[in-house]
Amino acid sequence: MGSLLLFNGGFMLIAALVSGIYDDGATLDITLAAICTLLLGILAMFYTRGHSKEVQRREGYIIVTLGWLVMSLSGVMPYIFSGAIPGMTNAFFETISGYTTTGASILDDIEVLPKGILFWRSLTHWIGGMGIIVLAIAILPLLGIGGMQLFSAEAPGPNTDKLHPRITDTAKRLWLIYFGYTAAETLLLSIAGMSFFDAINHSMATLSTGGFSTKNASLAYWSNQPLIQYIVIFFMFLAGSNFVLSYFAFKGKIQRVLRDEEFKFYGIIMVIFTLATALVVYFMANFEISDYYPMPFGLAESSFRHALFQVVAVITTTGFVTADFTAWTPFLTVFFFGLMFIGGSAGSTAGGIKVMRHILIIKNGLLEFKRTLHPSAIIPVRFNNKTVSEHIVYNIIAFFVLYMLLFIIGSLVLSFLGLDFVSAIGGAASSLGNVGPALGDLNPVSNYNSLPMMGKWWCSFLMLAGRLELFTVLILFNPYFWKKV
């Protein structure tokens, strides 16, 4: 926890530097927040010096959940010290939404905030995205969370076809890719017409699949610059795919990428859902697009671009907005609500259930027909031509059941707090899946500021649980976890 606080404080100093460069009046406040965070980190490390560094599975669960909470609680300080977001509830909601890369915001006017605060807001995304990569690659497979043991076959290990035998070296390689993608997108967006400040902020939000923008209208601000939106689409797609596959691609192992079952499924659903959405928008929702968004390149291109952007943004749980998809047609409102439950690939910065789990649940469901006809036969589930153990299949089914159960409970709590049916189910699905924009009063052109105080704390819990693969957080509420064995 101490080292995480030092890490957080260091990034706050970068935000303070940006604030100083733009002379936005928040430099001293952000610097003070950084100093407080660094002092807390030093005290924590000093107090625990000489302790045993051996981490068992039980400690692993606590470290992961507590780590995100510590980062979020310390991350509120720049907002509170500067007065950009008054009140602990709103500041914590915005901060945990950043670290969990959800992108749900309570801010009514983003553009009036100091540049340093906007940069810190984007940095919370970027830090959270880096943490998620390490979590997915190194920690969750070791803890056996939600079927992520499967992913450990693609990540650290002694075999020659895996990345690297040491977790730290694996993390370094993936962080390098993560940083490289961020720099590349920043450069391309700058060339395409964004200011450098907007470009770097949107790049950090894209690669972390977060969705915080520096503009009130999000990416709709650049609707008359299609190239900017296409660049963001490309990098959202990369961010929602397995980062290990990017490593293999850079090593020249393209066939390894193309043969990956999850990547193929991920690409196919993007194409099918985009075409379906574009056709509905083109033939049935012309008035919504023409009313709100200029179309210098024609109705067909605009329909396709908005459809592609929103499908990729929701599936990868990035949550950027170019149009209000809830205003297109009732069919597409329900359609995008369903997309909130898909999620990106395992080993990506995306949230949600994950494509890999969907594949295995579908395969196992179809194989049940064969097992019914041949009850004595052993018919295993296969993934990437390898047999998946029953333990992992059960783990994934348990994850799916828990996910849907928490969604139902989440919706009930939000409705109890006064939200209408559509807003309640949309808010629960979006928070749990780390998507950002939702339905009803929480639609893509609105925000979460209308939520009651308890609603904001509840959605914060759903964001954290969804981001950390459910088991990591929920196991802490199990009395057995705390018993000495």
Side-chain angles (χ1 to χ4, degrees), residues 1-7 35-48:
M1 297 305 108
S3 58
L4 283 176
L5 285 167
L6 292 178
F7 187 74
I35 291 168
C36 289
T37 305
L38 290 168
L39 285 174
L40 285 170
I42 292 166
L43 283 172
M45 296 192 80
F46 180 77
Y47 180 74
T48 56

Side-chain angles (χ1 to χ4, degrees), residues 216-255:
N216 293 326
S218 188
L219 265 291
Y221 183 87
W222 291 277
S223 276
N224 59 347
Q225 293 173 272
L227 180 58
I228 285 176
Q229 294 184 356
Y230 282 120
I231 290 168
V232 173
I233 289 167
F234 175 71
F235 282 98
M236 281 195 294
F237 181 85
L238 286 179
S241 61
N242 187 331
F243 268 74
V244 172
L245 294 181
S246 290
Y247 177 84
F248 288 133
F250 286 124
K251 294 285 284 184
K253 299 178 181 178
I254 303 298
Q255 287 301 316

Side-chain angles (χ1 to χ4, degrees), residues 165-392:
R166 294 184 59 202
I167 287 172
T168 51
D169 289 320
T170 299
K172 284 175 188 173
R173 282 161 173 74
L174 295 174
W175 278 354
L176 190 62
I177 293 170
Y178 185 69
F179 180 81
Y181 279 158
T182 307
E185 187 184 357
T186 302
L187 179 64
L188 290 173
L189 288 176
S190 298
I191 293 169
M194 262 193 192
S195 69
F196 178 75
F197 181 77
D198 288 334
I200 193 167
N201 277 275
H202 283 89
S203 298
M204 288 192 287
T206 304
L207 268 302
S208 63
T209 65
F212 279 158
S213 176
T214 54
K215 302 296 180 184
N216 293 326
S218 188
L219 265 291
Y221 183 87
W222 291 277
S223 276
N224 59 347
Q225 293 173 272
L227 180 58
I228 285 176
Q229 294 184 356
Y230 282 120
I231 290 168
V232 173
I233 289 167
F234 175 71
F235 282 98
M236 281 195 294
F237 181 85
L238 286 179
S241 61
N242 187 331
F243 268 74
V244 172
L245 294 181
S246 290
Y247 177 84
F248 288 133
F250 286 124
K251 294 285 284 184
K253 299 178 181 178
I254 303 298
Q255 287 301 316
R256 180 77 180 266
V257 178
L258 298 177
R259 284 198 305 267
D260 186 80
E261 206 169 332
E262 184 181 36
F263 184 75
K264 284 191 286 188
F265 193 79
Y266 174 68
I268 289 167
I269 61 173
M270 289 288 191
V271 171
I272 293 172
F273 292 156
T274 297
L275 291 175
T277 305
L279 287 171
V280 175
V281 170
Y282 183 78
F283 289 108
M284 298 175 67
N286 301 348
F287 58 94
E288 279 88 358
I289 286 190
S290 58
D291 279 353
Y292 295 111
Y293 306 101
M295 296 176 296
F297 294 90
L299 181 60
E301 186 278 333
S302 187
S303 300
F304 172 76
R305 173 163 42 91
H306 287 302
L308 176 62
F309 192 102
Q310 293 310 144
V311 166
V312 176
V314 173
I315 290 179
T316 62
T317 73
T318 307
F320 277 139
V321 173
T322 60
D324 181 6
F325 55 77
T326 63
W328 283 344
T329 66
F331 168 77
L332 286 180
T333 300
V334 178
F335 182 80
F336 276 99
F337 173 68
L339 294 187
M340 291 179 187
F341 291 89
I342 295 177
S345 305
S348 72
T349 56
I353 293 174
K354 301 290 192 302
V355 172
M356 179 189 74
R357 291 195 183 100
H358 285 291
I359 293 171
L360 291 172
I361 289 168
I362 292 167
K363 281 190 171 186
N364 187 62
L366 294 174
L367 287 176
E368 281 301 318
F369 292 114
K370 287 186 179 179
R371 292 172 186 143
T372 303
L373 292 171
H374 307 285
S376 300
I378 298 171
I379 308 172
V381 178
R382 292 185 172 275
F383 182 77
N384 281 339
N385 296 320
K386 294 176 183 176
T387 300
V388 179
S389 72
E390 281 191 353
H391 168 68
I392 292 177

Side-chain angles (χ1 to χ4, degrees), residues 382-437:
R382 292 185 172 275
F383 182 77
N384 281 339
N385 296 320
K386 294 176 183 176
T387 300
V388 179
S389 72
E390 281 191 353
H391 168 68
I392 292 177
V393 174
Y394 293 152
N395 200 315
I396 288 170
I397 293 170
F399 177 91
F400 187 79
V401 170
L402 275 174
Y403 193 95
M404 297 311 295
L405 191 62
L406 194 54
F407 160 67
I408 293 167
I409 295 170
S411 302
L412 285 170
V413 171
L414 289 177
S415 62
F416 178 77
L417 293 171
L419 273 71
D420 62 85
F421 174 73
V422 175
S423 301
I425 62 170
S430 182
S431 298
L432 192 57
N434 306 122
V435 178

